[in-house]
Amino acid sequence: MRSVFIFLGLFLLSFQQSKSQNTDYAREILNTICSENYQGRGYAAGGADKTADFIAKELRKIRLKKFGKSYFQPFTIKVNTFYGNNTVNINGKSLIPGIDYLISASSPSLKGTFNVEIIDAALINEPLKFKKFIRSDFSDKVILIDTFGLKRESFNDAYQLITERNILKAKAVIKITRRNLVYAPSQIQKKFPLIIIKKARLPKNPKTVTINIDSKYYSNFETKNIIAYIKGKTDTSIVISAHYDHLGTMGKNVYFPGANDNGSGVSALLVLAKHFSKQKKLKYNIVFMFFSGEELGLLGSYYYSQHPLFPLSNIKFLINLDMVGSGDKGIKVVNGSVFKEEFDELVKINTENNYMPAVKIRGKAANSDHYFFFENDVPSFFIYTTGTYKEYHNIFDTPENLPLSKFNELTYLLTDFINYLQNDKKPDIEESNISSF
Ligand SMILES: [Zn+2]
């Protein structure tokens, strides 16, 4: 009797293991590319390059083909970056980077201790006082602006001029926020540092601020897309894409792990690449594209759309994945209403197999790497998961926090959908005379 139970137990265990196999592989990948060693997969600190090497190594293991001699497609970007241990102290109390404050990625270097001048609702609500205030000399001071309790609309233009253009010509500007901190990289370096501090973490009566920012601007920094494929019987291709870059560091002491954004998409692509590399006799090529420069403004996918390695018109369908690490509420499909036939099929597959809790439709949107393909007439979806996970562009988007709750199911749904695209009865795209493969 007992042996029957042991046998049953082993059977269930092995079944469960195979059920979570894709998630386990994704965890392995995330634990690597979101680790400190990969420095938030930013550009200048070398994290993106390390990630590119890691992805290429995985692609080599599963024997994906290259266009030409390398998986890499290099291109250049402009980017402002931080070196050193950037620090911010208020009244001598040091704040915690990433938790108490962020330094805007466009900030130049600055070192020193400065007096703080406060602009708040009390000051703005007294027009005479405010008028006098803004006529002072701020050239050796730091402006701290907190508009809590103010009718924002009336002050909006002035707020923009002070925080975005430093119209008061201060040494630096500090913005107080009551929202979550959200970091974004920058293609430009401005003339003044901008620091965003959480209200709850701001010491009382801020009088002095000590700032240490060490920036470097690159006008011609080389990064690369990674392109690999599995050969099919025709020149037509199905493309699966995801960006692998993330926000990098905010100085030596802080990096952004980017587990959901977009370690999850990279993991899904590698799972699919592994799966389809074992499949014989594909009708269409399956091309995997890992883009860089997404976080700076879709730069890698834009570059690819301008320098395609085979005609864009040979792409039958593109599926872009960006932030697919949750899913307890399902997925959303950008361009679903544009390519309704394919969307309906995706819903049908999902309903028949009970994979995701919901497949929701969206119209077109310029919010990820599918966009420049779509603008160049490539039929495409951008799929992302929805759920309770909310960490976004902060230091908490880590593999430990990321649930991957429906990751297996998503990879199954995508596999079935790619098989549908492989087998559909629609006439083929007219083959070009020049074979790129
Ligand atoms: Zn992002």
Side-chain angles (χ1 to χ4, degrees):
M1 194 61 178
R2 187 186 290 162
S3 66
V4 172
F5 277 127
I6 288 170
F7 179 75
L8 193 69
L10 282 174
F11 172 76
L12 284 173
L13 192 70
S14 72
F15 182 67
Q16 278 209 312
Q17 269 171 352
S18 77
K19 277 225 65 153
S20 65
Q21 194 185 313
N22 293 347
T23 312
D24 295 344
Y25 179 50
R27 286 247 172 252
E28 257 175 58
I29 292 161
L30 290 175
N31 288 337
T32 305
I33 67 174
C34 303
S35 67
E36 194 180 350
N37 191 23
Y38 284 73
Q39 291 288 294
R41 303 190 300 282
Y43 315 103
D49 276 351
K50 259 188 197 166
T51 313
D53 290 341
F54 171 81
I55 293 170
K57 198 181 85 203
E58 291 298 296
L59 295 172
R60 231 172 278 126
K61 264 194 234 166
I62 49 183
R63 294 167 188 264
L64 257 57
K65 291 188 182 298
K66 303 173 176 116
F67 291 89
K69 285 197 176 121
S70 166
Y71 289 126
F72 298 149
Q73 179 187 47
F75 63 100
T76 58
I77 55 173
K78 298 181 200 309
V79 64
N80 191 45
T81 57
F82 296 125
Y83 285 88
N85 284 316
N86 294 346
T87 54
V88 175
N89 289 300
I90 292 208
N91 297 346
K93 181 187 181 292
S94 62
L95 302 187
I96 308 165
I99 293 174
D100 296 351
Y101 73 93
L102 291 178
I103 298 169
S104 168
S106 62
S107 300
S109 298
L110 180 68
K111 211 179 217 134
T113 300
F114 311 95
N115 287 329
V116 174
E117 291 287 344
I118 299 173
I119 300 178
D120 58 9
L123 177 69
I124 301 161
N125 286 336
E126 283 194 58
L128 285 176
K129 222 171 133 189
F130 184 60
K131 256 189 186 164
K132 196 179 158 215
F133 173 86
I134 59 171
R135 278 198 299 265
S136 347
D137 177 9
F138 297 103
S139 58
D140 210 27
K141 291 176 174 160
V142 170
I143 300 260
L144 184 148
I145 184 160
D146 180 0
T147 55
F148 185 66
L150 198 78
K151 286 184 197 73
R152 271 298 271 282
E153 303 83 64
S154 56
F155 190 68
N156 234 345
D157 289 349
Y159 183 79
Q160 292 301 324
L161 288 170
I162 293 166
T163 58
E164 299 301 318
R165 291 174 49 193
N166 191 18
I167 196 168
L168 298 180
K169 297 189 163 52
K171 207 77 187 170
V173 177
I174 297 173
K175 231 160 71 163
I176 302 303
T177 185
R178 282 160 180 79
R179 298 183 186 183
N180 292 331
L181 297 176
V182 177
Y183 191 76
S186 173
Q187 289 193 66
I188 58 163
Q189 185 182 91
K190 288 190 176 178
K191 295 269 188 289
F192 67 100
L194 175 67
I195 298 162
I196 301 101
I197 301 180
K198 282 199 88 157
K199 175 66 181 176
R201 316 290 298 189
L202 179 72
K204 280 211 171 78
N205 303 318
K207 293 260 186 295
T208 61
V209 57
T210 305
I211 298 171
N212 189 353
I213 303 174
D214 204 355
S215 310
K216 189 172 173 172
Y217 184 69
Y218 292 91
S219 55
N220 235 328
F221 190 85
E222 192 177 296
T223 185
K224 55 220 176 196
N225 296 326
I226 308 162
I227 322 285
Y229 72 98
I230 304 164
K231 183 87 187 79
K233 281 186 287 189
T234 67
D235 276 353
T236 302
S237 295
I238 294 162
V239 177
I240 325 291
S241 69
H243 76 87
Y244 72 90
D245 64 309
H246 193 54
L247 312 171
T249 65
M250 197 178 74
K252 271 190 185 138
N253 41 353
V254 182
Y255 75 97
F256 297 91
N260 194 30
D261 184 9
N262 188 21
S264 63
V266 168
S267 304
L269 255 64
L270 289 173
V271 164
L272 294 170
K274 241 181 166 179
H275 172 84
F276 283 103
S277 66
K278 291 175 205 144
Q279 201 152 309
K280 300 266 173 327
K281 293 181 193 158
L282 289 171
K283 185 169 170 194
Y284 307 125
N285 310 299
I286 303 181
V287 185
F288 294 89
M289 299 187 180
F290 303 80
F291 297 118
S292 184
E294 194 271 352
E295 299 288 6
L296 282 168
L298 314 179
L299 299 185
S301 52
Y302 175 73
Y303 183 86
Y304 185 90
S305 74
Q306 302 303 301
H307 305 86
L309 301 183
F310 60 95
L312 290 178
S313 58
N314 281 2
I315 303 176
K316 183 185 177 69
F317 209 86
L318 177 144
I319 304 162
N320 180 59
L321 304 173
D322 192 356
M323 305 208 285
V324 293
S326 62
D328 44 293
K329 290 191 180 148
I331 56 170
K332 284 199 178 165
V333 184
V334 170
N335 278 351
S337 62
V338 184
F339 303 99
K340 193 64 179 23
E341 202 186 316
E342 285 81 0
F343 178 78
D344 289 343
E345 187 60 33
L346 192 67
V347 171
K348 191 174 149 231
I349 295 168
N350 189 61
T351 313
E352 279 170 8
N353 296 281
N354 203 12
Y355 288 139
M356 306 298 290
V359 175
K360 293 202 173 126
I361 195 162
R362 278 192 63 175
K364 67 172 194 172
N367 52 359
S368 193
D369 288 316
H370 63 292
Y371 181 68
F372 290 110
F373 289 88
F374 174 65
E375 286 292 291
N376 283 285
D377 300 322
V378 175
S380 47
F381 281 162
F382 159 33
I383 296 176
Y384 59 95
T385 56
T386 55
T388 43
Y389 186 76
K390 289 286 175 276
E391 306 304 347
Y392 175 72
H393 281 214
N394 63 28
I395 61 170
F396 306 108
D397 184 12
T398 62
E400 297 75 42
N401 289 339
L402 190 66
L404 295 176
S405 38
K406 290 283 172 185
F407 187 83
N408 257 317
E409 289 82 351
L410 178 68
T411 56
Y412 296 157
L413 173 63
L414 291 168
T415 303
D416 290 359
F417 184 64
I418 293 164
N419 282 331
Y420 151 77
L421 292 170
Q422 285 280 347
N423 296 318
D424 75 348
K425 302 288 180 279
K426 272 204 265 178
D428 282 357
I429 293 167
E430 220 175 281
E431 303 295 349
S432 64
N433 292 326
I434 314 140
S435 169
S436 317
F437 292 95

